[in-house]
């Protein structure tokens, strides 16, 4: 089972396009194998082989189209129906519940207060969802994903080096709820932007902000008032953090490359 995914994992040369744990620790293996909950056998097989999985990365917003949780999240609906939240698909929550037959489980997707029955079993849902995700890249882009990203050229290496010389610090929040960020250029060239990570303290939000800094010349400092998702999360519950150095597969995510 899932030979098609094994084949795809081995064929793709783009780092972090698929993230699977591959090895499952003994505690999780025992929890899945001996679970008293009515979970589909195809789901158990997947979890015991791959663990938590995030598949089909969208670089532009650093998200994944398909995900499977190794630890299903149990919930009970108002009518007493037991459901298990097992993953996500293109923004929708994915869960399973019995369809009334012994050891038979249907898969549902829930988004915008609307529930849709999408498959009769987990393995069918996974294969169809992955096929849809794969098609979304188109033939040319998919070939690039298989081949892997081209290495940084000299210009891009210079950008990565210049980025490492940009210092910043969060000075607090202004009256309008914007974060006050000080940018200092300690290098010898300017950059069009700097990309910083943003997350909520409860980990429900994880994104990024891109700050225009082309006016911060070498040796200069600039203060920027930035909207850090203040329409979604209270400003005081937001944390800004430094992202790791970009790799070739991250070009679309870092605005430093223009």
């Amino acid at each position: 089972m899932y030979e098609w995914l094994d084949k795809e994992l081995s064929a793709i040369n783009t780092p972090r396009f698929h993230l699977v744990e591959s090895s499952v620790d003994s505690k999780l293996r025992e929890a899945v194998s001996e679970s008293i909950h009515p979970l589909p056998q195809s789901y158990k097989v997947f979890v015991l082989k791959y663990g938590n999985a995030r598949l089909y990365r969208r670089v532009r917003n650093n998200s994944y189209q398909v995900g499977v949780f190794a630890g299903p999240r149990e919930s009970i609906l108002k009518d007493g129906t037991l459901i298990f939240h097992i993953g996500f698909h293109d923004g929708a929550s994915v869960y399973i519940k019995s369809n009334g037959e012994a050891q038979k489980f249907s898969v549902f997707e829930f988004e915008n207060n609307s529930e849709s029955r999408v498959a009769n079993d987990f393995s069918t849902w996974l294969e169809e969802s992955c096929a849809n995700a794969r098609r979304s890249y188109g033939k040319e882009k998919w070939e690039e994903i298989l081949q892997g990203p081209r290495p940084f050229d000299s210009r891009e290496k210079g950008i990565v080096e210049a980025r490492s010389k940009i210092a910043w610090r969060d000075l607090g929040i202004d009256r309008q709820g914007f974060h006050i960020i000080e940018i200092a250029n300690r290098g010898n060239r300017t950059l069009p932007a700097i990309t910083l990570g943003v997350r909520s303290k409860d980990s429900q939000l994880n994104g990024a902000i891109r700050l225009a800094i082309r006016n911060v010349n070498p040796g200069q400092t600039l203060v920027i008032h930035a909207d850090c998702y203040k329409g979604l999360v209270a400003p005081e519950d937001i944390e800004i953090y430094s992202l790791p150095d970009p790799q070739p597969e991250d070009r679309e995510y870092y605005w430093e490359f223009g």
Side-chain angles (χ1 to χ4, degrees):
M1 189 179 290
Y2 306 119
E3 290 83 2
W4 61 269
L5 182 55
D6 289 333
K7 183 178 179 180
E8 187 168 298
L9 287 167
S10 64
I12 290 174
N13 290 295
T14 296
R16 305 199 310 282
F17 185 74
H18 287 335
L19 294 179
V20 297
E21 293 177 332
S22 296
S23 60
V24 179
D25 64 41
S26 58
K27 289 185 178 180
L28 178 58
R29 184 173 295 278
E30 181 180 355
V32 173
S33 301
E34 301 180 9
S35 174
I36 61 173
H37 297 306
L39 298 172
Q41 183 62 25
S42 59
Y43 169 77
K44 290 182 178 181
V45 170
F46 181 93
V47 168
L48 290 175
K49 186 172 185 178
Y50 302 105
N52 290 291
R54 289 185 288 166
L55 310 173
Y56 303 95
R57 185 187 184 206
R58 288 191 179 111
V59 178
R60 188 170 295 275
N61 59 3
N62 197 30
S63 65
Y64 287 82
Q65 296 194 57
V66 179
V68 178
F69 304 142
R73 304 168 188 179
E74 176 183 341
S75 297
I76 299 177
L77 302 179
K78 291 181 180 180
D79 63 2
T81 302
L82 181 65
I83 67 172
F84 297 94
H85 185 192
I86 59 166
F88 61 85
H89 175 218
D90 206 18
S93 296
V94 176
Y95 61 92
I96 57 174
K97 62 182 177 181
S98 172
N99 62 12
E101 301 179 43
Q103 298 302 310
K104 297 291 184 179
F105 305 88
S106 296
V107 181
F108 294 80
E109 294 187 1
F110 186 85
E111 186 176 20
N112 297 325
N113 296 317
S114 177
E115 175 189 84
S116 300
R117 183 174 178 272
V118 293
N120 291 326
D121 60 83
F122 171 81
S123 60
T124 299
W125 166 79
L126 182 68
E127 190 162 358
E128 291 178 350
S129 298
C130 289
N132 289 334
R134 199 179 305 119
R135 284 192 293 268
S136 72
Y137 294 93
K139 291 183 179 180
E140 184 176 342
K141 184 63 176 179
W142 185 250
E143 186 60 32
E144 291 179 8
I145 291 166
L146 291 175
Q147 295 298 322
R150 58 179 172 78
F152 282 144
D153 58 25
S154 58
R155 181 189 71 87
E156 291 169 321
K157 289 179 181 178
I159 290 173
V160 175
E161 173 65 20
R163 183 181 180 276
S164 69
K165 301 297 173 52
I166 301 296
W168 66 274
R169 58 176 179 156
D170 188 353
L171 300 179
I173 303 166
D174 68 17
R175 293 181 179 180
Q176 286 73 43
F178 294 97
H179 280 256
I180 307 169
I181 303 174
E182 181 186 84
I183 303 292
N185 187 343
R186 296 174 180 171
N188 56 13
R189 58 171 290 180
T190 60
L191 286 177
I194 185 74
T195 306
L196 302 177
V198 176
R199 62 192 169 207
S200 59
K201 293 179 180 179
D202 62 5
S203 300
Q204 293 301 303
L205 180 147
N206 200 332
I209 55 171
R210 283 86 177 186
L211 305 177
I213 61 169
R214 64 177 66 255
N215 293 326
V216 187
N217 295 315
Q220 291 185 338
T221 298
L222 179 70
V223 172
I224 297 174
H225 293 243
D227 181 351
C228 299
Y229 300 93
K230 69 185 184 74
L232 298 175
V233 179
E236 60 271 17
D237 292 329
I238 282 290
E239 297 177 339
I240 305 172
Y241 62 98
S242 294
L243 293 171
D245 288 342
Q247 301 301 314
E249 65 271 19
D250 301 320
R251 285 181 175 92
E252 292 180 52
Y253 191 67
Y254 286 79
W255 283 23
E256 286 84 331
F257 298 103

